[in-house]
Amino acid sequence: MSRRCEPEIVVEPVAEIVPEIVPEVQPEAQPEPIAEIKAEPHGNSGKTPWYMKEIAQTREEKRQERSARESAEQRASDLQAIIERMQADPKAVPPVARPAEKAAPPAAEFQGCGEGTSRLRPFR
């Protein structure tokens, strides 16, 4: 058997009404101003911290690795393109690089005739 608890009802009037007590709100005390804090001088003044050198070295190593990887990938893709071209047309010969011609004199010996012209005259 379960028994319920029912609230007790009081019919008697209250003799006196008690006013609600409200605590007074007091303003917070202002904190005292903090004296200016001076940092103690340390021995690493003006120098790069050791960890910054480590970070720079690590970044440079990663950059070099990335550059080497990209150049290797570029070389592999170039070689693959050559292989595909040769397999597509076996009679095709890849272009041969010609050596630079020696007919052009060094640029230091010549002076331009004016802006916008392509004629060159000997430097005096």
Side-chain angles (χ1 to χ4, degrees), residues 7-118:
E8 182 179 329
I9 301 175
V10 180
V11 187
E12 298 175 13
V14 178
E16 146 185 348
I17 297 178
V18 179
E20 187 176 331
I21 300 175
V22 179
E24 285 185 27
V25 179
Q26 295 180 356
E28 292 185 21
Q30 296 293 329
E32 294 180 19
I34 299 175
E36 192 161 326
I37 300 172
K38 280 193 163 181
E40 292 284 326
H42 55 80
N44 199 20
S45 179
K47 295 181 183 175
T48 304
W50 64 270
Y51 56 87
M52 293 301 288
K53 291 177 184 175
E54 293 286 326
I55 290 171
Q57 183 180 9
T58 304
R59 284 183 180 164
E60 181 62 22
E61 288 171 0
K62 286 183 180 180
R63 187 194 63 75
Q64 288 176 353
E65 289 172 3
R66 187 179 329 115
S67 175
R69 185 175 46 244
E70 288 173 355
S71 64
E73 289 173 358
Q74 180 65 36
R75 179 169 167 77
S77 67
D78 291 346
L79 291 174
Q80 186 64 34
I82 291 171
I83 291 170
E84 289 172 0
R85 281 196 306 266
M86 291 178 75
Q87 288 176 347
D89 187 11
K91 294 180 183 177
V93 178
V96 179
R98 289 185 281 157
E101 295 179 16
K102 197 174 181 182
E109 295 180 11
F110 287 91
Q111 173 180 340
C113 295
E115 214 165 306
T117 61
S118 62

